[in-house]
Amino acid sequence: MKRQVPLLITLFVGTLLIVSVFVPPLEGMQENSTLFFDIIAVFAFFLGGGNLIRIHLTKVARKKGDWEYSLVTLFGFLLMLSSGLFKIGNPGDIAAAVDTPGSWFQTIFFYMMSPLNSTMYALLAFFVASASYRAFRAKNREATILLVSAFIILLGQTPFGTMLTSWMPDKFSVLEIPNMAVWVMSSPNLAGQRAILIGIGLGVVGMSLRIILGIERTYLGEDKG
Amino acid sequence: MKPLLITVSLLSLMTAASFAQSDPPVEQPMATDSTMVASTPSITPPAPVSSLEAKDSPDDHGHSITLSWEPSADDGAGAATVTSYVIYHSTSPEGPFDSVGSAISGATTFTHSSAKESDAAGFLADYVDRYYRIDAVTADQTIRTPSSVVGPVQSSGQWYNDGRTPVAVAVAFFGLLSLFFLKRAKAGADLYVRPLGGIEAVDEAIGRATEMGKPILYVLGLGTASDISTIASFTILGRVAKRVAEYQTHLIVPCYDPIVMAVAQETVKAAYMDAGRPDDYKEDMVYFLTNSQFGYVGAVNGIMLRQLPATNVYMGKFYAESLLLAETGALAGSIQISGTDEVAQIPFFVVACDYTLIGEELYAASAYLGREPLLLGSLKAQDYAKAAVIICALLGALALNIAAASNATWGLTFKEFFKVTN
C-alpha cells in the first residue's frame, strides 16, 4: 500500500498532464500543478536550514574532522539569518526593508557574498585553460580534429584571423578563416547538438513513460523494475 | 479730473489684462482615440492597413481573437512614416471603440486575449460578437488613419489542439513501440542493448573506492526535484547506493536543494535496506549545503580536496559549475563519471571526466544498471524511435531537395505534416 498509492498518484497526474498538452481546456493544469510544487518549496527552507544546523552542530559537538569549517558555516548561516529575519544591524525598525542601505544584511551581501561568488566564477577562466590544454593535446585522430577545429574557431573570432586570409580571391572565400569558423559552428557543431537534443527528447519521453507506468520505481526507494 | 480719468482708464486696462492672463487658453476640441483621424492639413496622413482579418484564435481554450493585416504602405517609408498600429475593439460596429493594445511597425498580427484586455467578466467572453479596427499611427501620435471595421467575430474554445497532431502521433507511436517491447521483455525475449562505457565503469569505480578505503562522492547537480534529469539521477543514485552498501564503502551526497535532499535521503536509505544493511545508513551521508550556485561549488570542491574521494559521480542538471567541479575532481585524482542533459555543459564533462553519459544516456543509465527486462524493453523502444527519427530526417531532406529541383509542392506538404504550429 505504501508503494501503490504514490504509483497511482504518479499514473493519474502523469496521464492527465500528457492529455492536457493536447486538450486546450486542460492547459491550465500544467501551471496549477507547479503551484503545488511551489507550496512544498516554501517549507523546504525549514528542511534545508534544519538539516544544515543539525549536521554541523553534531560535527562541532563531536569534534569530528574539519569541525572548524562547520563552526564557520554555522556562524555565517546564523548571522545572515538573524540580520535578515530579525533585522539585527538594520538602521530601521523590524518593519524596515531587509536591504535597507547600511544594514548588516545588505553589507554582508554586497561586500562578502557577491565578491565570493564572483571569485568562484572567475576561477572558471583558469579551469577552462587547464581543461583546454588537456583536451587539445593531439594524442589521437579525434583529439587532433578537435584541436584543428578549436584553432580555426578561435582564430576566426580575431581580427588577426581575418587578416591572415583576407587576400584570398572571392571564389575561394569559403576557405577564409572566419568563414570556416562559421561553417564549423553552423554545420558539424549544430548537427551534433541537434542529434544530442533529439536523443534527449526521446530519453525524456522514455523515462517519463517508465515512471508513469510504474516500471521505474527506484526514485521511490524500490530497486525493482 | 483728467488725472482721475487716466487713472481709471489705466486700472481698467490692467484689470482687463489680468483677466486675460488668468483665462485658460481656448482648447481645440480633442478627438477621442476612437475618432481621431488625420486632421493636420500640412502633413499627408499615412495609408491605412489593408486586408484586415479577425478570427477566433485556433487550437486554444477560447477567450482570444487573432487579428492579421497587411502593413500600411507607409510602414517604414512614405511621407508620413507609420511607427505603430493601435488596435481598437467594440461589441458594436458603430462603436464606441476602445484601444486594446498596440503593435510596432512591421507587425502583421495581434492577439486580443484575456491576458491583454479584460471584459467586465474578468476575461474575454466567448460567443460575443466583436468588431475591430486598426489605426496606422505616425511618430507624433496625432496623425493616424483608421482601417475599415471588420467583424463580427466570436471567440470559442476547442477541445483538441490540432496544431500538435504531429506530437500526438509521435507520442502514440513511441508509446506503442514501448508497450510492444515491454510485452516482448515480459515474454522473456533476449533484448540486446548496446553497452555504455560510463555505466560499466560504475562498478569498477565503486570497487576502486572500496579497495582504497576512500568515499564516493555523488553530486545531483543544481536541478530541482521536478527536473527530469534530477529524477533520472535519483534512480542512478539508488543503484549506486545499493552497490556502495553491498561493498560497505562510504557515500557522500551533498545537496543544493532541500527537496532534492529529502528525496535523496529516502532513496539512499531504501537502497541500504534493499542491500540488507540498514544499520550502515548514516544520516550525515546525504545533507544540504546551500542554495547558492558558487557557494555550492566552493563547498563541494572543499570536500573533494579534503576527503579525496576515490570516485566522483556527477549526474543531473549542471550549469557553469560543471567545469569547476570536474576540474577540481581531476586535480584531486578521483575517477570521475558524469552525465547531464545540458548540451552546453557536455563538452566540459567530456574533457574533465573519465566517463561521460551524453544526453539520453543519463536517462538510460538506471535501466542499464538494473538490467531488468522491462526497463531494457523501454530502452529498445527508444533505439527504434531514434531509427525512425533518422529515417524521417533523411526522407524529409530528400523530399525537399527533389521537390525544389522539380518545382513541385508535394515536398512542402511532406514538411508541413511534421510542423507543430501551436
Side-chain angles (χ1 to χ4, degrees), chain B residues 89-103:
Chain B
H89 158 258
S90 175
T91 49
S92 161
E94 286 82 32
F97 281 84
D98 297 315
S99 165
V100 289
S102 62

Side-chain angles (χ1 to χ4, degrees), chain A residues 21-22, chain B residues 163-172 420:
Chain A
V21 174
F22 305 104
Chain B
R164 289 181 184 165
T165 298
V167 180
V169 171
V171 169
V420 178

Side-chain angles (χ1 to χ4, degrees), chain A residues 21 130 134 210 216 223, chain B residues 164 239 242 327 363 366:
Chain A
V21 174
S130 64
R134 264 211 312 278
R210 287 201 294 273
E216 176 64 84
D223 192 17
Chain B
R164 289 181 184 165
R239 311 283 187 196
K242 190 178 175 188
E327 268 296 286
Y363 306 117
S366 173

Side-chain angles (χ1 to χ4, degrees), chain A residues 27-196:
Chain A
E27 266 176 6
M29 291 211 63
Q30 294 165 35
E31 277 179 34
N32 290 341
S33 62
T34 58
L35 281 178
F36 285 97
F37 186 81
D38 292 343
I39 293 165
I40 297 169
V42 172
F43 294 99
F45 170 77
F46 300 103
L47 204 65
N51 178 269
L52 188 133
I53 291 176
R54 192 173 53 75
I55 292 285
H56 290 279
L57 268 182
T58 311
K59 235 175 164 182
V60 173
R62 293 182 187 167
K63 294 264 173 82
K64 282 186 176 179
D66 301 321
W67 64 272
E68 300 90 344
Y69 294 110
S70 295
L71 204 61
V72 174
T73 305
L74 282 172
F75 176 74
F77 177 73
L78 294 174
L79 180 71
M80 201 70 180
L81 187 73
S82 54
S83 59
L85 202 60
F86 305 114
K87 311 285 164 62
I88 294 172
N90 193 317
D93 57 5
I94 190 79
V98 74
D99 57 350
T100 304
S103 64
W104 283 11
F105 187 88
Q106 201 215 33
T107 308
I108 296 168
F109 185 82
F110 281 118
Y111 299 107
M112 288 184 78
M113 282 279 289
S114 288
L116 285 170
N117 277 330
S118 303
T119 307
M120 286 305 298
Y121 189 46
L123 285 176
L124 200 56
F126 300 99
F127 283 137
V128 166
S130 64
S132 303
Y133 172 72
R134 264 211 312 278
F136 296 155
R137 271 183 301 181
K139 289 180 291 188
N140 50 38
R141 195 176 52 190
E142 287 84 1
T144 311
I145 294 171
L146 195 66
L147 174 67
V148 172
S149 305
F151 186 71
I152 290 170
I153 290 166
L154 289 174
L155 208 58
Q157 308 287 327
T158 62
F160 183 64
T162 311
M163 193 192 79
L164 272 180
T165 48
S166 57
W167 52 269
M168 280 191 167
D170 279 352
K171 64 179 178 179
F172 293 116
S173 64
V174 72
L175 294 175
E176 285 181 22
I177 290 176
N179 293 341
M180 282 168 72
V182 169
W183 180 81
V184 169
M185 291 304 287
S186 62
S187 295
N189 173 60
L190 198 62
Q193 281 201 17
R194 282 186 182 160
I196 293 171

Side-chain angles (χ1 to χ4, degrees), chain A residues 2-3 18-28 30 34 37-56 58-59 62 64-66 69-70 73 77 113 116-136 146 189 192-211 213-225, chain B residues 59-62 158-162 164-165 167-169 171 174-175 178-179 182 224-226 228 231-239 242 257-259 261-263 265-267 270-271 274 283-290 292-295 297-298 301 306-307 320-321 323-328 330-331 340-343 346 348 351-353 358-360 362-367 370 372 374-375 378-379 382 385-386 389 422:
Chain A
K2 195 183 161 190
R3 295 275 184 249
I18 289 177
V19 171
S20 75
V21 174
F22 305 104
V23 179
L26 295 178
E27 266 176 6
Q30 294 165 35
T34 58
F37 186 81
D38 292 343
I39 293 165
I40 297 169
V42 172
F43 294 99
F45 170 77
F46 300 103
L47 204 65
N51 178 269
L52 188 133
I53 291 176
R54 192 173 53 75
I55 292 285
H56 290 279
T58 311
K59 235 175 164 182
R62 293 182 187 167
K64 282 186 176 179
D66 301 321
Y69 294 110
S70 295
T73 305
F77 177 73
M113 282 279 289
L116 285 170
N117 277 330
S118 303
T119 307
M120 286 305 298
Y121 189 46
L123 285 176
L124 200 56
F126 300 99
F127 283 137
V128 166
S130 64
S132 303
Y133 172 72
R134 264 211 312 278
F136 296 155
L146 195 66
N189 173 60
Q193 281 201 17
R194 282 186 182 160
I196 293 171
L197 282 172
I198 290 170
I200 288 172
L202 286 171
V204 168
V205 176
M207 180 85 190
S208 305
L209 274 177
R210 287 201 294 273
I211 291 172
L213 296 175
I215 299 166
E216 176 64 84
R217 312 172 182 183
T218 325
Y219 70 101
L220 290 173
E222 188 176 0
D223 192 17
K224 285 193 178 99
Chain B
D59 303 328
D60 68 355
H61 64 297
Q158 285 80 47
W159 280 99
Y160 174 68
N161 189 335
D162 200 34
R164 289 181 184 165
T165 298
V167 180
V169 171
V171 169
F174 188 66
S178 298
L179 290 175
L182 289 178
T224 63
S226 61
I228 191 81
I231 296 172
S233 187
F234 287 139
T235 65
I236 301 167
L237 173 64
R239 311 283 187 196
K242 190 178 175 188
D257 182 273
I259 299 177
M261 176 202 74
V263 180
Q265 279 176 337
E266 286 302 311
T267 306
D274 281 344
E283 285 290 318
D284 61 356
M285 280 179 175
V286 186
Y287 55 92
F288 174 70
L289 276 179
T290 172
S292 158
Q293 182 185 18
F294 293 109
V297 173
N301 283 0
R306 285 194 301 273
Q307 302 194 27
E321 71 287 349
L323 190 63
L324 292 171
L325 294 170
E327 268 296 286
T328 308
L331 291 172
T340 185
D341 59 356
E342 281 295 314
V343 179
I346 290 171
F348 294 134
V351 167
C353 295
I358 297 172
E360 49 143 352
L362 170 68
Y363 306 117
S366 173
E372 277 114 24
L374 285 179
L375 293 172
S378 74
L379 287 189
Q382 225 167 291
K386 268 190 282 184
V389 170
N422 186 16

